[in-house]
Amino acid sequence: MSHVDIRHRQPSGWRSATAWIFVAPFLVIFFVFTAIPALIALIYSFTDIGVADIRHPLQVHFTFLDTFARVLTNAGFLKSLVTTGIFVVVGVPLTMAIGLALALALNSGIKRLRATYRAAFYLPVITNIVAAAVIWQYAFTLRGPVNTFLAELGLQGPNWLGNPNMAITTVILLTTWRNVGTCMVLFLAGLQGIPADVHEAAAIDGASAPRRFLHITLPLLKPATLLVTVLMTVSYMNIFDEPYLLTKGGPLGATRSVALWVYEQFGHGNIASAMAGSYVMLVIVAVLGILQLRMLRAAS
Amino acid sequence: MMSEGTSRGTVALYATLTLVAGLMLLPFAWVFFGAFKSQAEILAAPGAWLPRSFTDFSNFVELFARRQFGTYLGNSLVVSGLTVVSNVFFSSLAGYALAKIPFRGSRFVFGCIIAAMMIPYIALFVPSFFIIVQMGLLNTLTGIFLPIAVMPIGVFIMRQFALSVPNELLEAARLDGAGEFRIFFSIFLPLVGPAIATVAIITFLNSWNYFLWPLIVAQNQDTFTLPVGLAVASQGAKSTEYGLLLSGAIIVLLPVLILFVFLQRYFVRGIAATGLK
């Protein structure tokens, strides 16, 4: 109704133009640093571009699927895919389970100290990763505070960062520590959306706490769960900072994720391999993301 | 809801929460105790908890006097300052237009925001590096700042908040003949203070903690930001230098910790906004 009045005062063409001016800065940055790079990466994945070509990007040879074939048969790349898979398969459920448990505990009716606990669980999320990695390197060295504490308990502490399996464990511990707070906040928001009377009715009907959790809380929490799954999967798939800073991908390449492999190829000047590798990753993330979002939409 | 009694369950709950919170906060204890340790102390007892003295600031003095942490701190402040101002202004403009001006193409722009939020920057840093080289911005603070000048998350949050601004106020101004720029500055902006605070916090956090991009764009110590400077220092460091590195970590952590203590609800609101709608 009022819409018609406005048209009399200001031509809608002028208002559209204003709207485009308002969104222009976002669009410019989006095209220059997201859309065009995505296109460049796709095009150059089909070439033999190397570091010498960066300043003359038009003088490269099209080699079509050679680069993809080379990347997809590269033992280092395949190993990094498996390593990333381990991070996702172990890290995502672990982080989500702890996040959900903390959210349930905070939502169970306690009043005292609730904000303090929430702040403590959330603090690692905003911690700078370089600072966190420095702390963890110090804490988990052979004779650092962690092993000193274990020794006081009479336990022999492992070589956390020097042994391949322990290094993966330490990287996952650091990543979990930094992501639990995000899961907790999102689960807590989901839990607060569940009406209390549903629980009370079930309790009056004699349903036990575990039964109420399984049959009421979990189903009603499905949208939040799927959302957290998408967020955590994407963030573990792209894991770079933690293994780069904590272990440099070592020992023996045990913690080298795909993102770290791409970074190393870039560092060695194998630009085409780096771009093809990141594209493989982008496609995997996109497919997983779309699948999970479909489920999210179906659930909500 | 369960009532809060002193039942055994409640006690167990508090004990567990306290234990987990203590574990989560342990790394902060390590960094604050470790930063005041000298090389000799670290060498003698690397696993000891408490330093001999909490008033020995020699590690911090060394970082600023001999390790260029002053330059890194300045660079980080410039990059984060520019990022916050630019994001608050441009994402308010875009969020207002998307929520409050009906125009053809707004769905396309919204699609771009969602796409930009979904695509991990790890997949795009190599081609983005090409673009920065072509623009002649390699090894400049502008080159570090430009890709995050208008983050999709900022526009997204502003749009969500803008949707809740009552249309009647804006329509009344339009009937009086006010242009969109005037409505934006004199009516819209004063109404969305909390949204601006949320966007400022989120974009400050992102830029302050930004690591991979400055690592490849900054080519020498004059353009290093704090995280890059700390990472490079830690890679060449001997294990006896942990006191120094932990002091560096405190310099990186402190601004965010202080902001968190005072503005916690905006941090949490930002996360809730990114996740849920």
Tab-separated table of all heavy atoms in Angstrom, chain B residues 147-205:
chain	number	residue	atom	x	y	z
B	147	PRO	N	41.476	-7.783	0.914
B	147	PRO	CA	40.516	-8.891	0.755
B	147	PRO	C	39.493	-8.994	1.890
B	147	PRO	O	38.428	-9.594	1.706
B	147	PRO	CB	41.409	-10.146	0.733
B	147	PRO	CG	42.735	-9.639	0.314
B	147	PRO	CD	42.861	-8.269	0.887
B	148	ILE	N	39.804	-8.430	3.067
B	148	ILE	CA	38.817	-8.507	4.154
B	148	ILE	C	38.176	-7.145	4.423
B	148	ILE	O	37.606	-6.920	5.479
B	148	ILE	CB	39.422	-9.074	5.456
B	148	ILE	CG1	40.672	-8.301	5.862
B	148	ILE	CG2	39.716	-10.546	5.321
B	148	ILE	CD1	41.112	-8.595	7.282
B	149	ALA	N	38.250	-6.233	3.434
B	149	ALA	CA	37.699	-4.891	3.632
B	149	ALA	C	36.181	-4.915	3.810
B	149	ALA	O	35.629	-4.097	4.546
B	149	ALA	CB	38.087	-3.991	2.461
B	150	VAL	N	35.491	-5.832	3.120
B	150	VAL	CA	34.036	-5.980	3.306
B	150	VAL	C	33.741	-7.474	3.402
B	150	VAL	O	33.562	-8.146	2.405
B	150	VAL	CB	33.229	-5.383	2.126
B	150	VAL	CG1	31.766	-5.205	2.550
B	150	VAL	CG2	33.796	-4.067	1.650
B	151	MET	N	33.707	-7.993	4.634
B	151	MET	CA	33.514	-9.433	4.802
B	151	MET	C	32.040	-9.793	4.659
B	151	MET	O	31.157	-9.065	5.125
B	151	MET	CB	33.984	-9.870	6.197
B	151	MET	CG	35.477	-9.753	6.397
B	151	MET	SD	35.893	-10.429	8.023
B	151	MET	CE	37.104	-9.255	8.564
B	152	PRO	N	31.755	-10.938	4.025
B	152	PRO	CA	30.361	-11.351	3.854
B	152	PRO	C	29.634	-11.493	5.188
B	152	PRO	O	28.457	-11.154	5.288
B	152	PRO	CB	30.472	-12.694	3.134
B	152	PRO	CG	31.873	-13.145	3.320
B	152	PRO	CD	32.699	-11.908	3.449
B	153	ILE	N	30.350	-11.975	6.218
B	153	ILE	CA	29.689	-12.178	7.508
B	153	ILE	C	29.158	-10.857	8.070
B	153	ILE	O	28.082	-10.812	8.658
B	153	ILE	CB	30.660	-12.864	8.508
B	153	ILE	CG1	29.985	-13.118	9.841
B	153	ILE	CG2	31.912	-12.062	8.739
B	153	ILE	CD1	28.895	-14.109	9.761
B	154	GLY	N	29.887	-9.763	7.846
B	154	GLY	CA	29.445	-8.448	8.316
B	154	GLY	C	28.158	-8.028	7.621
B	154	GLY	O	27.198	-7.576	8.264
B	155	VAL	N	28.146	-8.177	6.284
B	155	VAL	CA	26.951	-7.807	5.520
B	155	VAL	C	25.770	-8.668	5.972
B	155	VAL	O	24.653	-8.183	6.156
B	155	VAL	CB	27.189	-7.978	4.006
B	155	VAL	CG1	25.967	-7.542	3.224
B	155	VAL	CG2	28.414	-7.200	3.559
B	156	PHE	N	26.046	-9.955	6.183
B	156	PHE	CA	24.997	-10.887	6.599
B	156	PHE	C	24.383	-10.458	7.932
B	156	PHE	O	23.160	-10.360	8.074
B	156	PHE	CB	25.600	-12.296	6.697
B	156	PHE	CG	24.589	-13.366	6.952
B	156	PHE	CD1	23.845	-13.900	5.918
B	156	PHE	CD2	24.391	-13.859	8.233
B	156	PHE	CE1	22.921	-14.897	6.150
B	156	PHE	CE2	23.463	-14.857	8.474
B	156	PHE	CZ	22.722	-15.382	7.433
B	157	ILE	N	25.243	-10.172	8.912
B	157	ILE	CA	24.744	-9.771	10.233
B	157	ILE	C	23.949	-8.471	10.128
B	157	ILE	O	22.859	-8.336	10.690
B	157	ILE	CB	25.913	-9.613	11.232
B	157	ILE	CG1	26.528	-10.984	11.531
B	157	ILE	CG2	25.436	-8.947	12.532
B	157	ILE	CD1	27.771	-10.923	12.409
B	158	MET	N	24.479	-7.487	9.374
B	158	MET	CA	23.771	-6.206	9.250
B	158	MET	C	22.412	-6.404	8.586
B	158	MET	O	21.433	-5.783	8.969
B	158	MET	CB	24.600	-5.205	8.432
B	158	MET	CG	25.763	-4.588	9.150
B	158	MET	SD	25.429	-3.847	10.772
B	158	MET	CE	24.172	-2.655	10.394
B	159	ARG	N	22.357	-7.279	7.566
B	159	ARG	CA	21.088	-7.507	6.888
B	159	ARG	C	20.076	-8.114	7.868
B	159	ARG	O	18.914	-7.696	7.906
B	159	ARG	CB	21.282	-8.455	5.701
B	159	ARG	CG	19.983	-8.823	5.018
B	159	ARG	CD	20.176	-9.942	4.008
B	159	ARG	NE	18.897	-10.394	3.491
B	159	ARG	CZ	18.173	-11.383	4.041
B	159	ARG	NH1	18.601	-11.985	5.130
B	159	ARG	NH2	17.023	-11.745	3.512
B	160	GLN	N	20.521	-9.106	8.658
B	160	GLN	CA	19.603	-9.738	9.606
B	160	GLN	C	19.058	-8.727	10.605
B	160	GLN	O	17.877	-8.726	10.914
B	160	GLN	CB	20.294	-10.877	10.359
B	160	GLN	CG	20.797	-12.018	9.501
B	160	GLN	CD	19.719	-12.609	8.615
B	160	GLN	OE1	19.709	-12.362	7.397
B	160	GLN	NE2	18.807	-13.351	9.190
B	161	PHE	N	19.937	-7.847	11.107
B	161	PHE	CA	19.478	-6.825	12.056
B	161	PHE	C	18.566	-5.818	11.366
B	161	PHE	O	17.565	-5.385	11.935
B	161	PHE	CB	20.672	-6.087	12.666
B	161	PHE	CG	21.199	-6.720	13.911
B	161	PHE	CD1	22.026	-7.817	13.856
B	161	PHE	CD2	20.865	-6.212	15.152
B	161	PHE	CE1	22.515	-8.410	15.004
B	161	PHE	CE2	21.344	-6.791	16.314
B	161	PHE	CZ	22.177	-7.895	16.246
B	162	ALA	N	18.929	-5.446	10.131
B	162	ALA	CA	18.151	-4.434	9.411
B	162	ALA	C	16.719	-4.896	9.191
B	162	ALA	O	15.782	-4.089	9.221
B	162	ALA	CB	18.830	-4.113	8.079
B	163	LEU	N	16.535	-6.214	9.001
B	163	LEU	CA	15.186	-6.741	8.775
B	163	LEU	C	14.263	-6.399	9.939
B	163	LEU	O	13.066	-6.216	9.763
B	163	LEU	CB	15.236	-8.262	8.581
B	163	LEU	CG	15.801	-8.750	7.245
B	163	LEU	CD1	15.934	-10.267	7.239
B	163	LEU	CD2	14.909	-8.303	6.088
B	164	SER	N	14.825	-6.296	11.159
B	164	SER	CA	13.987	-6.056	12.327
B	164	SER	C	13.712	-4.576	12.564
B	164	SER	O	12.954	-4.222	13.459
B	164	SER	CB	14.648	-6.674	13.567
B	164	SER	OG	15.837	-5.980	13.851
B	165	VAL	N	14.314	-3.692	11.763
B	165	VAL	CA	14.005	-2.256	11.903
B	165	VAL	C	12.624	-2.008	11.303
B	165	VAL	O	12.353	-2.417	10.177
B	165	VAL	CB	15.062	-1.398	11.175
B	165	VAL	CG1	14.642	0.051	11.109
B	165	VAL	CG2	16.411	-1.536	11.855
B	166	PRO	N	11.716	-1.373	12.069
B	166	PRO	CA	10.347	-1.193	11.568
B	166	PRO	C	10.313	-0.364	10.276
B	166	PRO	O	10.933	0.689	10.184
B	166	PRO	CB	9.625	-0.457	12.699
B	166	PRO	CG	10.638	-0.178	13.742
B	166	PRO	CD	11.897	-0.862	13.421
B	167	ASN	N	9.570	-0.862	9.291
B	167	ASN	CA	9.456	-0.157	8.012
B	167	ASN	C	8.814	1.213	8.141
B	167	ASN	O	9.121	2.127	7.386
B	167	ASN	CB	8.620	-0.997	7.037
B	167	ASN	CG	9.462	-2.081	6.392
B	167	ASN	OD1	10.650	-1.862	6.116
B	167	ASN	ND2	8.872	-3.231	6.169
B	168	GLU	N	7.870	1.342	9.124
B	168	GLU	CA	7.087	2.577	9.217
B	168	GLU	C	7.973	3.806	9.326
B	168	GLU	O	7.729	4.834	8.698
B	168	GLU	CB	6.149	2.519	10.428
B	168	GLU	CG	5.000	1.531	10.297
B	168	GLU	CD	5.434	0.077	10.441
B	168	GLU	OE1	6.536	-0.167	10.996
B	168	GLU	OE2	4.697	-0.816	9.972
B	169	LEU	N	9.056	3.673	10.140
B	169	LEU	CA	9.960	4.806	10.335
B	169	LEU	C	10.572	5.246	9.012
B	169	LEU	O	10.633	6.436	8.697
B	169	LEU	CB	11.092	4.402	11.292
B	169	LEU	CG	10.745	4.341	12.760
B	169	LEU	CD1	11.908	3.770	13.550
B	169	LEU	CD2	10.406	5.740	13.258
B	170	LEU	N	11.031	4.257	8.231
B	170	LEU	CA	11.706	4.570	6.972
B	170	LEU	C	10.708	5.121	5.959
B	170	LEU	O	10.981	6.086	5.248
B	170	LEU	CB	12.379	3.317	6.421
B	170	LEU	CG	13.274	2.558	7.409
B	170	LEU	CD1	13.790	1.270	6.797
B	170	LEU	CD2	14.452	3.419	7.848
B	171	GLU	N	9.510	4.500	5.924
B	171	GLU	CA	8.491	4.930	4.967
B	171	GLU	C	8.078	6.376	5.221
B	171	GLU	O	7.897	7.157	4.300
B	171	GLU	CB	7.263	4.013	5.044
B	171	GLU	CG	7.526	2.564	4.691
B	171	GLU	CD	7.798	2.357	3.205
B	171	GLU	OE1	7.491	3.258	2.405
B	171	GLU	OE2	8.345	1.295	2.867
B	172	ALA	N	7.957	6.720	6.510
B	172	ALA	CA	7.554	8.084	6.846
B	172	ALA	C	8.564	9.079	6.302
B	172	ALA	O	8.205	10.112	5.720
B	172	ALA	CB	7.438	8.225	8.372
B	173	ALA	N	9.847	8.751	6.461
B	173	ALA	CA	10.889	9.646	5.961
B	173	ALA	C	10.844	9.731	4.443
B	173	ALA	O	11.023	10.801	3.859
B	173	ALA	CB	12.262	9.164	6.418
B	174	ARG	N	10.560	8.581	3.810
B	174	ARG	CA	10.495	8.585	2.339
B	174	ARG	C	9.353	9.469	1.857
B	174	ARG	O	9.482	10.201	0.881
B	174	ARG	CB	10.296	7.157	1.812
B	174	ARG	CG	11.607	6.413	1.743
B	174	ARG	CD	11.424	4.970	1.327
B	174	ARG	NE	12.676	4.251	1.622
B	174	ARG	CZ	12.734	2.984	2.001
B	174	ARG	NH1	11.650	2.282	2.128
B	174	ARG	NH2	13.905	2.435	2.246
B	175	LEU	N	8.219	9.411	2.584
B	175	LEU	CA	7.079	10.238	2.194
B	175	LEU	C	7.415	11.723	2.324
B	175	LEU	O	6.893	12.550	1.596
B	175	LEU	CB	5.853	9.890	3.050
B	175	LEU	CG	5.215	8.547	2.692
B	175	LEU	CD1	4.100	8.209	3.654
B	175	LEU	CD2	4.695	8.564	1.250
B	176	ASP	N	8.279	12.027	3.293
B	176	ASP	CA	8.707	13.417	3.440
B	176	ASP	C	9.719	13.820	2.377
B	176	ASP	O	10.226	14.934	2.386
B	176	ASP	CB	9.344	13.634	4.825
B	176	ASP	CG	8.280	13.591	5.901
B	176	ASP	OD1	7.092	13.721	5.542
B	176	ASP	OD2	8.638	13.421	7.081
B	177	GLY	N	10.076	12.865	1.505
B	177	GLY	CA	10.967	13.194	0.406
B	177	GLY	C	12.438	12.995	0.697
B	177	GLY	O	13.290	13.429	-0.074
B	178	ALA	N	12.764	12.340	1.820
B	178	ALA	CA	14.181	12.116	2.135
B	178	ALA	C	14.770	11.059	1.203
B	178	ALA	O	14.105	10.084	0.870
B	178	ALA	CB	14.331	11.658	3.582
B	179	GLY	N	16.002	11.269	0.782
B	179	GLY	CA	16.680	10.296	-0.082
B	179	GLY	C	17.203	9.142	0.747
B	179	GLY	O	17.257	9.213	1.979
B	180	GLU	N	17.598	8.048	0.061
B	180	GLU	CA	18.062	6.864	0.783
B	180	GLU	C	19.312	7.139	1.613
B	180	GLU	O	19.481	6.598	2.691
B	180	GLU	CB	18.328	5.712	-0.201
B	180	GLU	CG	17.084	5.189	-0.912
B	180	GLU	CD	16.039	4.609	0.040
B	180	GLU	OE1	16.409	4.125	1.120
B	180	GLU	OE2	14.843	4.676	-0.291
B	181	PHE	N	20.214	7.999	1.102
B	181	PHE	CA	21.430	8.310	1.856
B	181	PHE	C	21.075	8.963	3.185
B	181	PHE	O	21.628	8.631	4.224
B	181	PHE	CB	22.346	9.252	1.051
B	181	PHE	CG	23.215	8.525	0.064
B	181	PHE	CD1	22.830	8.428	-1.268
B	181	PHE	CD2	24.410	7.937	0.457
B	181	PHE	CE1	23.629	7.753	-2.182
B	181	PHE	CE2	25.215	7.263	-0.449
B	181	PHE	CZ	24.820	7.169	-1.778
B	182	ARG	N	20.120	9.908	3.130
B	182	ARG	CA	19.739	10.611	4.365
B	182	ARG	C	19.047	9.668	5.328
B	182	ARG	O	19.293	9.697	6.525
B	182	ARG	CB	18.832	11.807	4.036
B	182	ARG	CG	19.605	13.094	4.157
B	182	ARG	CD	18.722	14.288	4.364
B	182	ARG	NE	17.802	14.242	5.474
B	182	ARG	CZ	16.711	15.003	5.507
B	182	ARG	NH1	16.438	15.804	4.494
B	182	ARG	NH2	15.920	14.960	6.550
B	183	ILE	N	18.174	8.819	4.798
B	183	ILE	CA	17.481	7.862	5.668
B	183	ILE	C	18.502	6.945	6.328
B	183	ILE	O	18.439	6.666	7.525
B	183	ILE	CB	16.459	7.030	4.852
B	183	ILE	CG1	15.400	7.960	4.270
B	183	ILE	CG2	15.824	5.958	5.722
B	183	ILE	CD1	14.435	7.278	3.329
B	184	PHE	N	19.495	6.508	5.532
B	184	PHE	CA	20.519	5.607	6.048
B	184	PHE	C	21.271	6.246	7.213
B	184	PHE	O	21.415	5.646	8.282
B	184	PHE	CB	21.498	5.221	4.929
B	184	PHE	CG	22.690	4.457	5.412
B	184	PHE	CD1	22.589	3.119	5.754
B	184	PHE	CD2	23.927	5.081	5.540
B	184	PHE	CE1	23.683	2.408	6.206
B	184	PHE	CE2	25.034	4.380	5.997
B	184	PHE	CZ	24.914	3.036	6.328
B	185	PHE	N	21.740	7.488	7.004
B	185	PHE	CA	22.584	8.118	8.026
B	185	PHE	C	21.783	8.601	9.232
B	185	PHE	O	22.214	8.430	10.371
B	185	PHE	CB	23.371	9.294	7.433
B	185	PHE	CG	24.593	8.848	6.683
B	185	PHE	CD1	24.636	8.932	5.300
B	185	PHE	CD2	25.686	8.326	7.356
B	185	PHE	CE1	25.759	8.503	4.610
B	185	PHE	CE2	26.812	7.899	6.675
B	185	PHE	CZ	26.851	7.988	5.298
B	186	SER	N	20.602	9.209	8.984
B	186	SER	CA	19.955	9.865	10.115
B	186	SER	C	18.908	8.986	10.805
B	186	SER	O	18.570	9.226	11.958
B	186	SER	CB	19.330	11.190	9.660
B	186	SER	OG	18.450	10.963	8.594
B	187	ILE	N	18.400	7.947	10.135
B	187	ILE	CA	17.391	7.110	10.787
B	187	ILE	C	17.907	5.707	11.036
B	187	ILE	O	17.854	5.186	12.149
B	187	ILE	CB	16.088	7.053	9.952
B	187	ILE	CG1	15.526	8.462	9.827
B	187	ILE	CG2	15.082	6.111	10.602
B	187	ILE	CD1	14.306	8.554	8.962
B	188	PHE	N	18.472	5.086	9.991
B	188	PHE	CA	18.867	3.675	10.111
B	188	PHE	C	20.048	3.485	11.056
B	188	PHE	O	19.954	2.729	12.031
B	188	PHE	CB	19.183	3.122	8.717
B	188	PHE	CG	19.628	1.690	8.736
B	188	PHE	CD1	18.713	0.670	8.931
B	188	PHE	CD2	20.966	1.361	8.561
B	188	PHE	CE1	19.124	-0.658	8.949
B	188	PHE	CE2	21.384	0.040	8.585
B	188	PHE	CZ	20.455	-0.969	8.777
B	189	LEU	N	21.155	4.181	10.795
B	189	LEU	CA	22.370	3.952	11.597
B	189	LEU	C	22.146	4.110	13.099
B	189	LEU	O	22.589	3.274	13.883
B	189	LEU	CB	23.515	4.852	11.121
B	189	LEU	CG	24.368	4.326	9.957
B	189	LEU	CD1	25.584	5.206	9.744
B	189	LEU	CD2	24.809	2.882	10.183
B	190	PRO	N	21.449	5.171	13.549
B	190	PRO	CA	21.253	5.314	14.998
B	190	PRO	C	20.444	4.179	15.626
B	190	PRO	O	20.517	3.953	16.824
B	190	PRO	CB	20.491	6.642	15.122
B	190	PRO	CG	20.787	7.376	13.872
B	190	PRO	CD	20.947	6.338	12.815
B	191	LEU	N	19.694	3.438	14.807
B	191	LEU	CA	18.848	2.364	15.347
B	191	LEU	C	19.573	1.040	15.480
B	191	LEU	O	19.076	0.115	16.117
B	191	LEU	CB	17.630	2.146	14.430
B	191	LEU	CG	16.525	3.193	14.492
B	191	LEU	CD1	15.470	2.884	13.432
B	191	LEU	CD2	15.898	3.214	15.872
B	192	VAL	N	20.734	0.892	14.817
B	192	VAL	CA	21.356	-0.433	14.770
B	192	VAL	C	22.688	-0.482	15.518
B	192	VAL	O	23.594	-1.205	15.131
B	192	VAL	CB	21.533	-0.930	13.310
B	192	VAL	CG1	20.192	-1.260	12.704
B	192	VAL	CG2	22.276	0.088	12.468
B	193	GLY	N	22.784	0.264	16.610
B	193	GLY	CA	23.997	0.279	17.418
B	193	GLY	C	24.515	-1.106	17.810
B	193	GLY	O	25.691	-1.413	17.594
B	194	PRO	N	23.648	-1.971	18.374
B	194	PRO	CA	24.131	-3.299	18.760
B	194	PRO	C	24.676	-4.095	17.577
B	194	PRO	O	25.660	-4.823	17.716
B	194	PRO	CB	22.869	-3.980	19.316
B	194	PRO	CG	21.968	-2.865	19.700
B	194	PRO	CD	22.247	-1.744	18.760
B	195	ALA	N	24.045	-3.949	16.391
B	195	ALA	CA	24.531	-4.663	15.207
B	195	ALA	C	25.918	-4.161	14.832
B	195	ALA	O	26.810	-4.939	14.489
B	195	ALA	CB	23.568	-4.472	14.041
B	196	ILE	N	26.095	-2.839	14.919
B	196	ILE	CA	27.396	-2.259	14.589
B	196	ILE	C	28.458	-2.790	15.554
B	196	ILE	O	29.560	-3.168	15.133
B	196	ILE	CB	27.314	-0.722	14.623
B	196	ILE	CG1	26.492	-0.242	13.427
B	196	ILE	CG2	28.707	-0.098	14.599
B	196	ILE	CD1	26.218	1.240	13.416
B	197	ALA	N	28.105	-2.875	16.834
B	197	ALA	CA	29.058	-3.402	17.819
B	197	ALA	C	29.410	-4.854	17.490
B	197	ALA	O	30.585	-5.246	17.545
B	197	ALA	CB	28.467	-3.304	19.222
B	198	THR	N	28.399	-5.655	17.127
B	198	THR	CA	28.654	-7.055	16.796
B	198	THR	C	29.580	-7.174	15.592
B	198	THR	O	30.548	-7.939	15.604
B	198	THR	CB	27.329	-7.787	16.508
B	198	THR	OG1	26.464	-7.599	17.626
B	198	THR	CG2	27.553	-9.273	16.290
B	199	VAL	N	29.279	-6.404	14.535
B	199	VAL	CA	30.117	-6.463	13.330
B	199	VAL	C	31.532	-5.989	13.646
B	199	VAL	O	32.517	-6.588	13.189
B	199	VAL	CB	29.482	-5.619	12.196
B	199	VAL	CG1	30.453	-5.484	11.029
B	199	VAL	CG2	28.186	-6.243	11.733
B	200	ALA	N	31.653	-4.935	14.454
B	200	ALA	CA	32.979	-4.418	14.799
B	200	ALA	C	33.789	-5.488	15.529
B	200	ALA	O	34.965	-5.728	15.216
B	200	ALA	CB	32.855	-3.160	15.652
B	201	ILE	N	33.149	-6.174	16.497
B	201	ILE	CA	33.850	-7.205	17.263
B	201	ILE	C	34.271	-8.374	16.372
B	201	ILE	O	35.420	-8.825	16.395
B	201	ILE	CB	32.924	-7.751	18.386
B	201	ILE	CG1	32.703	-6.682	19.455
B	201	ILE	CG2	33.485	-9.014	18.987
B	201	ILE	CD1	33.830	-6.550	20.419
B	202	ILE	N	33.330	-8.864	15.565
B	202	ILE	CA	33.617	-10.034	14.717
B	202	ILE	C	34.728	-9.711	13.729
B	202	ILE	O	35.648	-10.510	13.519
B	202	ILE	CB	32.333	-10.453	13.946
B	202	ILE	CG1	31.301	-11.005	14.917
B	202	ILE	CG2	32.648	-11.479	12.867
B	202	ILE	CD1	31.610	-12.386	15.415
B	203	THR	N	34.669	-8.531	13.102
B	203	THR	CA	35.678	-8.222	12.090
B	203	THR	C	37.017	-7.880	12.750
B	203	THR	O	38.067	-8.172	12.189
B	203	THR	CB	35.210	-7.094	11.149
B	203	THR	OG1	34.857	-5.950	11.924
B	203	THR	CG2	34.032	-7.529	10.330
B	204	PHE	N	36.984	-7.306	13.946
B	204	PHE	CA	38.246	-7.082	14.662
B	204	PHE	C	38.913	-8.419	14.959
B	204	PHE	O	40.112	-8.616	14.708
B	204	PHE	CB	38.024	-6.323	15.973
B	204	PHE	CG	39.270	-6.268	16.827
B	204	PHE	CD1	40.279	-5.370	16.531
B	204	PHE	CD2	39.451	-7.142	17.891
B	204	PHE	CE1	41.453	-5.338	17.277
B	204	PHE	CE2	40.615	-7.120	18.643
B	204	PHE	CZ	41.615	-6.213	18.344
B	205	LEU	N	38.099	-9.350	15.462
B	205	LEU	CA	38.621	-10.672	15.817
B	205	LEU	C	39.220	-11.369	14.593
B	205	LEU	O	40.327	-11.901	14.637
B	205	LEU	CB	37.464	-11.496	16.384
B	205	LEU	CG	37.809	-12.693	17.229
B	205	LEU	CD1	38.613	-12.272	18.428
B	205	LEU	CD2	36.521	-13.374	17.660
